[in-house]
Amino acid sequence: MAIILDTRRFVAVERADVVRQTIARTVVHVDIDFPAEAGPAAVYGAITDLGPVRVCSVRSNATRVERTPAFARDDLEPRIFLALQVAGSSLIVQGGREAVLRPGDLAFSESTRPYTLLDSDGIRQHFFAIPAAGLALPDDMIRQLAAVTLSPKHPVADLAAAYFGRIAARPDIFARPGAGAVGQPSIELVRALITTHLDASLAGKESLHATLQLRILEYVRAHLADPGLNATQIAAAHHISVRHLYNVLGESGISLGDWIRERRLQKCRDALARPAGQFTAIADLAQQWGFRDASSFGRSFRAAYGMSPREWRNAAATVSA
């Protein structure tokens, strides 16, 4: 479901804060400046997910967006933000480079380093937040193209601009069954965009294989709450066979079932220790993290931590009291 951000719904004095809070909650923490001479903050945007890709389309009178050094050190999963200029021109600054974007141009920035986006006439862009792990490319390769205008005359850039422009222009498609399946091919297109601009397709293929295990585990971690999570689903998401999935994990001695159970137990243990966990039924909490049966959850928890979930929760409450 798309989140529609429309500042006309709010009183003028609250609009700028609403925008900052919404972007921080759904996309990334940034400082956003609205010039006083332009009047109250005016923003219209749609934020939604296309599988692992988060799409954000914004038209606004904000003239500066900055991810500060402090924000860049947060615990956000590393991402790149691919920007497609809609109107006017803007400037992306990161790592000592500047990229000028005009309508139809593409450039990206990294979440792990400070960056600034400037547009004196107001930010008017489509943004695509993509997990860096999903690109399966070395960090230094990605960093070489941050804040670089990706040539609109390049055939892959031209294809990507047209493709992402159509996606952003049709937020209604995200509500249709199966729309999320487009997310992974979208990431593959961005990989092609980066590697062809660096003429590094061989390195891209090698890194894709080298980071497969990492991408598998990141996918599993993101879907721990799904009680139906299984090897078939995980393999399909990475376009490999179940046998190859087990072989990749086996290279590091990882048992898929054990790995999933251990992470789910950790999530439950952490939740039980929080104040909110004191008021949540243990069976409900176990279900939230993918355990279908409360009895088997209790046995697994005791085997892992030497006490029952209730005993753990009571001990945590005593310590914090």
Side-chain angles (χ1 to χ4, degrees), residues 106-170:
L106 293 164
F108 70 84
S109 53
E110 303 173 85
S111 68
T112 56
R113 294 192 297 162
Y115 65 77
T116 303
L117 174 61
L118 301 166
D119 190 330
S120 60
D121 294 322
I123 306 299
R124 294 152 295 173
Q125 288 186 345
H126 301 310
F127 300 92
F128 304 86
I130 299 169
L135 291 169
L137 293 172
D139 290 343
D140 60 345
M141 183 182 293
I142 296 174
R143 190 154 291 185
Q144 287 182 58
L145 282 184
V148 171
T149 305
L150 302 175
S151 173
K153 295 182 180 180
H154 192 287
V156 178
D158 184 59
L159 171 64
Y163 172 82
F164 284 109
R166 290 200 62 179
I167 284 179
R170 290 289 307 280

Side-chain angles (χ1 to χ4, degrees), residues 26-27 54 76-81 109-112 129-132:
T26 60
V27 186
R54 177 149 292 179
L76 176 74
E77 175 191 21
R79 303 175 183 176
I80 72 164
F81 299 103
S109 53
E110 303 173 85
S111 68
T112 56
I130 299 169

